[in-house]
């Protein structure tokens, strides 16, 4: 998968997300659950998986490293650092959390997402389990693209809310 192809997918999804009609995704519950929580690494993992799968329907969204034994493994870290991070900084106002190196944290250091990965109990574990259970249900590039557009729409709302918090009258 070429980095430029992922970047093109992101910008196409941004254009669609900025259209006035509200986009829907059959995976909106997963996207809402992950993006509405506070674990930054899982947010980046989700958006990276959506962008990669939307670009190449053959990738496995559970894969985090090209060396994973999963069929359809890809280098999610390179995609995240080479496309997602810059896109988030320039177009989404750091709505995912503004991390420069999100895949350096422990949840992203495994070859793939698995319920056996080390994770803190509680909410972090719930997010990991939700990703493990639901990412494989994204069956093709079209579903992933719709999910990506939905996620970007949600992140644009977060960006606007953050901007309003920093602008106030004295």
């Amino acid at each position: 998968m070429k980095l430029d192809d992922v970047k093109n997918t992101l910008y196409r999804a941004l254009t669609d997300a900025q259209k006035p009609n509200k986009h829907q995704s059959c995976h909106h519950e997963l996207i809402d659950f992950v993006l509405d929580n506070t674990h930054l690494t899982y947010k980046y993992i989700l958006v990276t998986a959506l962008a990669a799968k939307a670009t190449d329907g053959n990738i496995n969204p559970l894969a985090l490293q090209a060396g994973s034994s999963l069929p359809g493994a890809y280098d999610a870290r390179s995609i995240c650092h080479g496309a997602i991070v810059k896109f988030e900084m320039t177009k989404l106002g750091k709505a995912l959390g503004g991390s420069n190196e999100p895949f350096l944290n422990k949840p992203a250091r495994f070859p793939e997402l698995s319920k056996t990965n080390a994770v803190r109990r509680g909410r972090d574990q719930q997010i990991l389990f939700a990703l493990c259970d639901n990412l494989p249900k994204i069956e093709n590039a079209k579903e992933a693209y719709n999910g990506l557009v939905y996620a970007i729409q949600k992140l644009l709302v977060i960006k606007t809310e953050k901007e309003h918090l920093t602008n106030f009258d004295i």
Side-chain angles (χ1 to χ4, degrees), residues 98-147:
S99 176
N100 288 323
E101 298 282 342
F103 270 58
L104 292 182
N105 296 323
K106 186 171 242 169
R109 289 190 163 252
F110 295 95
E112 61 261 342
L113 290 175
S114 167
K115 289 183 178 181
T116 62
N117 291 1
V119 65
R120 282 180 276 176
R121 297 211 183 273
R123 186 60 86 184
D124 292 355
Q125 186 179 52
Q126 290 174 344
I127 298 168
L128 172 63
F129 284 16
L131 287 167
C132 290
D133 289 342
N134 292 289
L135 282 177
K137 294 178 182 176
I138 301 172
E139 296 180 2
N140 55 52
K142 183 178 180 183
E143 279 185 31
Y145 183 78
N146 289 339

Side-chain angles (χ1 to χ4, degrees), residues 38-167:
T38 59
H39 201 292
L40 299 185
T41 303
Y42 288 132
K43 291 180 185 190
Y44 284 97
I45 287 172
L46 172 67
V47 173
T48 300
L50 290 171
K53 183 82 174 177
T55 303
D56 179 353
N58 294 315
I59 70 104
N60 188 322
L62 291 177
L64 297 174
Q65 298 175 7
S68 166
S69 62
L70 294 173
Y74 72 107
D75 187 0
R77 182 173 184 257
S78 293
I79 298 299
C80 185
H81 291 275
I84 305 297
V85 168
K86 183 175 181 184
F87 180 79
E88 180 215 7
M89 298 291 183
T90 60
K91 300 299 179 188
L92 300 176
K94 301 180 182 181
L96 284 171
S99 176
N100 288 323
E101 298 282 342
F103 270 58
L104 292 182
N105 296 323
K106 186 171 242 169
R109 289 190 163 252
F110 295 95
E112 61 261 342
L113 290 175
S114 167
K115 289 183 178 181
T116 62
N117 291 1
V119 65
R120 282 180 276 176
R121 297 211 183 273
R123 186 60 86 184
D124 292 355
Q125 186 179 52
Q126 290 174 344
I127 298 168
L128 172 63
F129 284 16
L131 287 167
C132 290
D133 289 342
N134 292 289
L135 282 177
K137 294 178 182 176
I138 301 172
E139 296 180 2
N140 55 52
K142 183 178 180 183
E143 279 185 31
Y145 183 78
N146 289 339
L148 180 62
V149 172
Y150 179 85
I152 290 174
Q153 235 177 11
K154 186 172 184 71
L155 292 167
L156 288 170
V157 170
I158 293 168
K159 173 188 175 193
T160 301
E161 289 170 354
K162 283 175 65 176
E163 288 170 349
H164 283 89
L165 288 174
T166 58
N167 295 326

